[in-house]
Amino acid sequence: MIIFALETSCDETSAAVLSSSRGDLKLLSNIVFSQIDIHKQYGGVVPEVAARHHIQNVIPVVAEALQKAKIKPSDIDLLAVTTGPGLVTSLIIGVETAKVLSFAWKKPLLAVNHMYSHIAANFYGNKIQFPAVCLVVSGGHTEIIHLKNYRQYKKIGATIDDAAGEAFDKVAKLLGLGYPGGPAISVYAEKFTEKMQFPNIKLPRPMINSKDFNFSFSGLKTAVLYASDKIRNKDENYQIAMSHYFQEAAIDVLVSKTIRAAKKLKVKTVLMAGGVAANKKLRETLRNEAEKNGYKFIVPEFKLCTDNAAMVAVAAYYLSEKKKVPLNSYEKIKTDCNWELK
Ligand code: KG4
Ligand code: ZN
């Protein structure tokens, strides 16, 4: 089976081709056009600007994905597209393009939830032992998901205010590290050494001891602001030290709650997904804690953590088995842009 997938939920325009043969998945192409350089000047993603660039880039990205995979539209068995959650103005471009391709190529089209796609990135190249728990950390979401198998999952906790990625981005802005903030914080934090002449700052670990599996990051962000107010010399050492203290606090909470969920649910595997899962320190810390407690740990390779269409294609592969999509028949889809995880 050949799956062609499109992803335009935020500021990446992406198309991918996945082939499957008796359960063996192989990515034939995964083209990602990132708009980071365009949104940098505004300090964050501007929805209308993102939509306009999706309009310009979507067809070239589709063409490149087909070309790199060395396939023709007639080789495709199934089309898939992200229908939400995400920026509605961005989602519409991908959804409408996919509907037109589905009509023109006479191929069935499957609607895919963006958060399930992030989780499914873990399934590529890995046989998962279930039950599993997945820490989903992106720019818009922070959730703990309990997975019974590849298709049945339940949200057991989420942030009650800011998402983890949002906190990384806002703290980076406060420290003057620019956009995108997450990667900048991790680069600066890596330069930290105990020998640095910097006051030892104790940041809070919000909700680390709460019995539920929810998170809160807005207070941590404010604590960084108050701690910063006390520092006179806002030089590079300050940026390095504050990045380190913030990252440590965020990682402590994320890892501690995920491991507690793993213990309570008696899982076999701990997974991680979403853009913040690209954070090296978080990957190392969660891996160490998971393995120390006897769980198998899986995290997607870096380029499959941030938004991309390959993860949508993998998600579509697993969903198509459940939904029994009639292959080679054109099927209309409902475009529900508020499709949240149930
Ligand atoms: O999943 P994603 O690409 O888009 C959403 O669906 O939101 O996640 C983007 C988020 C941004 O907040 C970005 O700062 C964060 O992921 N991020 C990171 C790193 N790389 C990306 N956060 C921390 N460390 C990183 N290395
Ligand atoms: Zn995402």
Coordinates of all heavy atoms in Angstrom, one line a residue, residues 4 18 20 24 83 118 137 146 184 202 214 216 221 224 249 261 267 285 314 317 327:
F4 N -0.1 8.7 0.7 CA 0.4 10.1 0.5 C -0.2 11.0 1.6 O -1.4 11.0 1.7 CB 0.0 10.5 -0.9 CG 0.6 11.9 -1.3 CD1 1.8 12.0 -1.9 CD2 -0.1 13.1 -0.9 CE1 2.4 13.2 -2.2 CE2 0.5 14.3 -1.2 CZ 1.7 14.4 -1.8
L18 N 4.6 7.1 2.1 CA 5.0 5.9 2.9 C 4.5 4.7 2.2 O 3.4 4.6 1.7 CB 4.2 6.0 4.2 CG 4.4 4.9 5.3 CD1 5.8 5.1 6.0 CD2 3.3 4.8 6.2
S20 N 3.9 0.5 2.5 CA 3.8 -0.6 3.5 C 3.7 -1.9 2.8 O 3.0 -2.1 1.8 CB 2.6 -0.4 4.4 OG 1.5 -0.9 3.8
D24 N 5.5 -3.9 7.1 CA 6.8 -3.2 7.1 C 6.7 -1.8 6.4 O 6.3 -1.7 5.3 CB 7.9 -4.0 6.2 CG 8.6 -4.9 7.1 OD1 8.5 -4.8 8.3 OD2 9.2 -5.9 6.5
T83 N -6.5 17.2 10.0 CA -7.7 18.1 10.1 C -7.8 18.8 11.4 O -8.8 19.5 11.7 CB -8.9 17.2 9.9 OG1 -8.9 16.2 10.8 CG2 -9.0 16.7 8.5
H118 N 1.5 12.8 16.0 CA 2.7 12.9 16.8 C 3.0 11.6 17.5 O 4.2 11.2 17.6 CB 2.6 14.1 17.9 CG 2.9 15.4 17.3 ND1 4.2 15.7 16.8 CD2 2.2 16.6 17.2 CE1 4.2 17.0 16.4 NE2 3.1 17.5 16.7
V137 N 4.4 16.4 24.1 CA 4.8 17.8 24.4 C 5.1 18.6 23.2 O 6.0 18.4 22.5 CB 6.1 17.8 25.3 CG1 5.7 17.8 26.8 CG2 7.0 16.6 25.0
H146 N -2.6 7.3 27.6 CA -2.5 5.9 27.9 C -2.9 5.1 26.6 O -4.0 5.3 26.1 CB -3.4 5.6 29.0 CG -3.4 4.1 29.5 ND1 -4.5 3.6 30.1 CD2 -2.5 3.2 29.3 CE1 -4.2 2.3 30.3 NE2 -3.0 2.0 29.9
A184 N 16.5 27.2 21.1 CA 17.5 28.2 21.7 C 17.8 27.9 23.1 O 18.9 27.9 23.6 CB 17.0 29.6 21.5
K202 N 16.4 28.9 42.6 CA 15.5 27.8 42.8 C 14.2 28.1 42.2 O 13.4 28.9 42.7 CB 15.4 27.6 44.3 CG 15.8 26.4 44.9 CD 16.1 25.2 45.3 CE 15.6 23.9 44.9 NZ 16.1 23.2 43.8
N214 N -2.0 16.1 35.6 CA -2.0 17.4 34.9 C -0.7 18.2 35.1 O 0.0 17.9 36.0 CB -3.2 18.2 35.4 CG -4.5 17.6 34.9 OD1 -4.6 16.9 33.9 ND2 -5.6 17.7 35.7
S216 N 1.1 22.4 34.9 CA 0.9 23.9 34.9 C 2.3 24.5 34.6 O 3.3 24.2 35.3 CB 0.4 24.4 36.2 OG 0.5 25.8 36.2
K221 N 6.9 30.1 34.3 CA 7.3 31.2 33.4 C 7.4 32.6 34.2 O 8.4 33.3 34.1 CB 6.3 31.3 32.3 CG 6.4 32.4 31.3 CD 5.1 32.5 30.5 CE 4.0 33.0 31.3 NZ 2.6 32.7 30.7
V224 N 10.4 32.7 36.4 CA 11.6 33.1 35.7 C 11.7 34.6 35.6 O 12.7 35.2 35.7 CB 11.7 32.4 34.3 CG1 12.8 32.9 33.4 CG2 11.7 30.9 34.4
A249 N 13.7 22.6 35.6 CA 12.4 22.6 36.3 C 11.4 22.0 35.4 O 10.6 21.1 35.9 CB 12.0 24.1 36.7
A261 N 2.8 8.0 36.0 CA 1.7 7.5 35.2 C 2.1 6.0 34.7 O 1.2 5.1 34.8 CB 1.4 8.4 34.0
V267 N 2.5 0.0 32.7 CA 2.8 -0.2 31.3 C 4.1 -0.9 31.1 O 4.9 -1.2 32.0 CB 2.9 1.2 30.6 CG1 1.7 2.1 30.8 CG2 4.1 2.0 31.2
T285 N 16.9 12.4 30.0 CA 16.4 12.2 31.3 C 15.3 11.2 31.3 O 15.2 10.3 32.2 CB 16.0 13.6 31.9 OG1 16.9 14.5 31.6 CG2 15.8 13.5 33.4
V314 N 2.1 7.6 8.8 CA 2.2 6.5 9.7 C 0.8 6.3 10.4 O 0.3 5.2 10.5 CB 3.3 6.6 10.7 CG1 3.4 5.4 11.6 CG2 4.7 6.7 9.9
Y317 N -1.8 4.9 8.2 CA -1.6 3.5 8.0 C -2.3 2.7 9.1 O -3.1 1.7 8.8 CB -0.1 3.1 8.0 CG 0.1 1.6 8.1 CD1 0.0 0.8 7.0 CD2 0.4 1.0 9.3 CE1 0.1 -0.6 7.1 CE2 0.6 -0.4 9.4 CZ 0.4 -1.1 8.3 OH 0.6 -2.5 8.4
L327 N -10.1 1.1 -0.4 CA -9.1 1.5 -1.2 C -9.5 1.7 -2.7 O -10.4 1.0 -3.1 CB -7.9 0.6 -1.1 CG -7.2 0.6 0.3 CD1 -6.0 -0.3 0.3 CD2 -6.8 1.9 0.7

